[in-house]
């Protein structure tokens, strides 16, 4: 899962789960229609809820399929993927690495010997990929990430609208080369159907997180420091092993949408006891800010990679066919879109996260004026909700951008909770 996601609710999980638990019992079906990093979907799953998750960002779908919908360990037979000699070498390394994780939070499943054995093959595969330095499968050797997203790459030059010129530097050359090697291997296994679907989702999800840790960005992929490498970017790419206790929770038949607009998804969503909503509140389009994890998530499915990468543009190097204009990023239609989504999906309860910072209603150049809260309060007091059911819960938290010299500060986050009006004259049609 991405740890640095704009508007991510990692630090608010306890508050969100408490509010959900006050409304509906475990076992109930809860929608997370702006699932982003999937941290909320994962927490809902771990608290025993059946989750219906969707986000327009493709990497989010991949995380949700790997860690929420899937309830099994990855299945890897190392000898089918790499040579016998290499698999013997890496199996030893994998077991040592895994023994270190035994007893850590999130890894209690390793107490079971058969789980330990099965998972050690996956961890050994990650050890192999971390060290890989050559394209064994020559036909699948590609250099797209090196070419387009590191300074030395032959197609990495950009010219901004304001006239500045340079070369993209999202990764150091050695990390960009490593990402290409890893992608080439995964793509070969994917095309030859050597990995089952869940294992493929899990593997790519691990790669997305590993790349995040060494990306030369200040949080999003919209841009990069033009004249330096962030110190994190200078580390070598390493996989962080996901805590699989959560994944192995009881399978409640979780549902994951196919990265569609949630306004569309809401029309055919399974019926929901509660809908958790965490939409964007300003003009920033997440598909632009996180285009790179989306490339990684989609890479193996792109049939013509040459054409795809010949069409990347802007300073950041995004193929704009992947872009999506969210209605929630437009002030004028935000409230109507919210209403449409709720009316379509007809949950019993709605819980909405709201960030009272600079947004559609609060001036971008000055402190927040509270107009956003009034707009939402008016909406939640409309007749699609039960009268007097609205609760507005303020939450204090630290801003995640307490990074690189920025000082963390307290910001007001709110949870709006209301019950749908399903009876009487004014009820939801
Ligand atoms: C504030 S973030 C959600 C953060 C998430 N709750 C978390 O904790 O990581 C808003 C999310 O809405 C998604 N999004 C925006 N408009 C959308 C739409 N119309 N349909 C589906 N997802 C959308 C974005 O891709 C982004 O991931």
């Amino acid at each position: 899962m991405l740890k640095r996601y704009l508007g991510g609710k990692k630090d608010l999980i306890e508050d969100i789960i408490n509010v959900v638990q006050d409304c509906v019992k475990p076992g109930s079906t809860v929608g997370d229609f702006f699932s982003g990093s999937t941290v909320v979907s994962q927490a809902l799953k771990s608290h025993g809820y059946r989750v219906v998750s969707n986000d327009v960002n493709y990497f989010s779908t991949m995380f949700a399929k790997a860690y929420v919908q899937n309830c099994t360990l990855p299945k890897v037979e190392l000898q089918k993927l790499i040579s016998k000699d290499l698999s013997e070498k890496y199996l030893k390394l994998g077991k040592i690495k895994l023994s270190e994780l035994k007893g850590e939070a999130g890894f209690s499943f390793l107490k079971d010997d058969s789980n330990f054995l099965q998972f050690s093959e996956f961890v050994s595969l990650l050890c192999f990929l971390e060290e890989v330095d050559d394209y064994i499968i020559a036909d699948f050797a590609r250099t797209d990430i090196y070419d387009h997203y590191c300074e030395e790459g032959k197609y990495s030059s950009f010219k901004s609208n304001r006239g500045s010129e340079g070369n993209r530097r999202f990764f150091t050359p050695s990390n960009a080369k490593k990402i290409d090697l890893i992608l080439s291997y995964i793509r070969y296994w994917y095309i030859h159907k050597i990995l089952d679907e869940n294992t493929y989702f899990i593997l790519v999800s691990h790669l997305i997180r590993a790349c995040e840790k060494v990306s030369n960005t200040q949080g999003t992929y919209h841009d990069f420091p033009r004249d330096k490498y962030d110190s994190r970017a200078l580390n070598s790419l390493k996989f962080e092993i996901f805590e699989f206790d959560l994944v192995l929770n009881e399978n409640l038949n979780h549902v994951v949408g196919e990265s569609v607009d949630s306004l569309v998804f809401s029309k055919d969503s399974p019926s929901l006891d509660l809908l958790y909503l965490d939409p964007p509140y300003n003009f920033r389009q997440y598909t632009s800010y996180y285009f790179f994890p989306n490339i990684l998530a989609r890479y193996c499915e792109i049939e013509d990679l040459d054409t795809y990468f010949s069409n990347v543009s802007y300073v950041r190097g995004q193929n704009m066919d992947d872009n999506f204009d969210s209605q929630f990023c437009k002030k004028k239609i935000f409230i109507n879109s919210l209403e449409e989504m709720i009316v379509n999906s007809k949950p019993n309860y709605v819980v909405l996260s709201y960030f009272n910072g600079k947004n559609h209603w609060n001036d971008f150049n000055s402190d927040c004026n509270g107009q956003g809260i009034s707009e939402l309060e008016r909406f939640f007091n409309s007749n699609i909700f039960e009268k007097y059911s609205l609760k507005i819960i303020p939450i204090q938290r630290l801003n995640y951008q307490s990074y690189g010299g920025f000082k963390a500060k307290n910001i007001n986050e709110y949870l709006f909770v209301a019950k749908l009006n399903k009876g009487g004259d004014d009820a939801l049609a």
Side-chain angles (χ1 to χ4, degrees), residues 146 149-153 156 167-171 173 226 229:
Y146 186 93
Y149 302 110
C150 91
E151 211 167 6
E152 283 74 355
S156 70
N167 287 72
R168 291 178 203 112
R169 47 159 69 208
F170 280 112
F171 299 99
R226 301 281 171 93
Y229 282 111

Side-chain angles (χ1 to χ4, degrees), residues 366-380:
S366 63
D367 277 346
C368 27
N369 55 21
Q371 198 197 331
I373 294 181
S374 310
E375 295 285 343
L376 289 172
E377 202 172 347
R378 195 169 16 253
F379 168 68
F380 276 100

Side-chain angles (χ1 to χ4, degrees), residues 5-9 33-40 55-57 260-262 278-280 286 324 326 328:
Y5 199 58
L6 211 58
K9 296 297 176 283
F33 284 5
F34 299 93
S35 57
S37 67
T38 68
V39 70
V40 177
D55 193 286
V56 75
N57 261 326
V260 288
D261 182 345
S262 284
D278 187 15
Y286 276 79
F324 172 78
S326 174
F328 294 88

Side-chain angles (χ1 to χ4, degrees), residues 66-81:
Y67 303 135
V68 179
Q69 190 169 43
N70 168 49
C71 297
T72 59
L73 290 176
K75 294 183 193 76
V76 170
E77 284 180 65
L78 208 54
Q79 279 203 31
K80 284 194 177 165
L81 304 181

Side-chain angles (χ1 to χ4, degrees), residues 247-371:
V247 174
L248 302 180
N249 261 20
E250 188 190 355
N251 189 346
L252 295 177
N253 202 10
H254 306 286
V255 176
V256 177
E258 295 295 331
S259 318
V260 288
D261 182 345
S262 284
L263 278 172
V264 176
F265 184 74
S266 62
K267 290 183 190 157
D268 294 318
S269 152
S271 85
L272 301 174
D273 297 301
L274 184 145
L275 177 58
Y276 170 71
L277 295 173
D278 187 15
Y281 284 97
N282 59 45
F283 60 87
R284 297 194 173 100
Q285 298 291 350
Y286 276 79
T287 44
S288 301
Y289 279 71
Y290 295 92
F291 81 94
F292 190 76
N294 284 341
I295 290 182
L296 296 175
R298 215 182 266 291
Y299 188 87
C300 298
E301 294 167 24
I302 301 172
E303 276 179 29
D304 184 352
L305 285 163
D306 289 335
T307 304
Y308 180 88
F309 282 103
S310 69
N311 284 320
V312 303
S313 52
Y314 291 106
V315 171
R316 61 186 177 278
Q318 181 183 3
N319 181 322
M320 293 308 284
D321 291 346
D322 290 345
N323 213 37
F324 172 78
D325 250 356
S326 174
Q327 304 209 34
F328 294 88
C329 294
K330 295 170 188 155
K331 176 179 175 176
K332 278 191 180 155
I333 51 177
F334 181 96
I335 294 285
N336 285 350
S337 306
L338 197 62
E339 175 166 351
E340 188 183 330
M341 185 174 287
I342 293 167
V343 170
N344 283 345
S345 51
K346 300 186 182 62
N348 294 329
Y349 291 88
V350 171
V351 175
L352 176 94
S353 274
Y354 172 68
F355 168 63
N356 192 30
K358 292 167 184 168
N359 62 27
H360 289 324
W361 304 285
N362 296 334
D363 191 336
F364 250 72
N365 298 314
S366 63
D367 277 346
C368 27
N369 55 21
Q371 198 197 331

Side-chain angles (χ1 to χ4, degrees), residues 74-275:
K75 294 183 193 76
V76 170
E77 284 180 65
L78 208 54
Q79 279 203 31
K80 284 194 177 165
L81 304 181
I82 56 179
S83 72
K84 192 165 177 280
D85 286 352
L86 283 173
S87 53
E88 277 168 12
K89 172 181 167 190
Y90 284 102
L91 266 173
K92 277 189 202 142
L93 275 179
K95 283 185 183 156
I96 294 170
K97 192 161 182 177
L98 205 51
S99 301
E100 290 163 7
L101 289 174
K102 243 182 164 176
E104 298 276 317
F107 292 93
S108 65
F109 70 96
L110 292 176
K111 285 181 199 146
D112 179 309
D113 288 346
S114 65
N115 281 346
F116 185 93
L117 271 182
Q118 182 175 338
F119 203 59
S120 64
E121 299 241 7
F122 175 68
V123 173
S124 306
L125 177 61
L126 297 183
C127 293
F128 164 76
L129 290 173
E130 266 176 12
E131 290 187 359
V132 68
D133 62 1
D134 200 7
Y135 294 96
I136 299 178
I137 314 146
D139 285 355
F140 277 73
R142 293 196 61 96
T143 52
D144 301 307
I145 307 304
Y146 186 93
D147 290 346
H148 295 89
Y149 302 110
C150 91
E151 211 167 6
E152 283 74 355
K154 55 185 176 215
Y155 306 121
S156 70
S157 61
F158 68 82
K159 186 166 183 183
S160 79
N161 288 341
R162 291 184 187 148
S164 68
E165 291 182 40
N167 287 72
R168 291 178 203 112
R169 47 159 69 208
F170 280 112
F171 299 99
T172 60
S174 62
N175 279 331
K177 186 173 176 221
K178 181 60 61 74
I179 300 167
D180 277 323
L181 280 159
I182 295 173
L183 279 175
S184 299
Y185 271 89
I186 301 179
R187 185 162 162 266
Y188 177 86
W189 296 326
Y190 174 83
I191 288 177
H192 290 86
K193 299 191 170 40
I194 303 175
L195 295 172
D196 70 83
E197 217 181 34
N198 284 333
T199 307
Y200 165 70
F201 295 144
I202 293 165
L203 190 55
V204 177
S205 298
H206 275 72
L207 177 61
I208 294 171
R209 168 71 184 129
C211 289
E212 182 197 28
K213 288 201 302 174
V214 294
S215 292
N216 186 38
T217 64
Q218 286 176 341
T220 80
Y221 292 86
H222 201 252
D223 210 333
F224 42 86
R226 301 281 171 93
D227 50 6
K228 63 170 182 147
Y229 282 111
D230 184 283
S231 57
R232 290 168 317 115
L234 298 172
N235 296 327
S236 298
L237 183 138
K238 290 264 179 272
F239 290 104
E240 180 180 275
I241 299 171
F242 191 79
E243 297 151 3
F244 263 77
D245 278 354
L246 155 84
V247 174
L248 302 180
N249 261 20
E250 188 190 355
N251 189 346
L252 295 177
N253 202 10
H254 306 286
V255 176
V256 177
E258 295 295 331
S259 318
V260 288
D261 182 345
S262 284
L263 278 172
V264 176
F265 184 74
S266 62
K267 290 183 190 157
D268 294 318
S269 152
S271 85
L272 301 174
D273 297 301
L274 184 145
L275 177 58

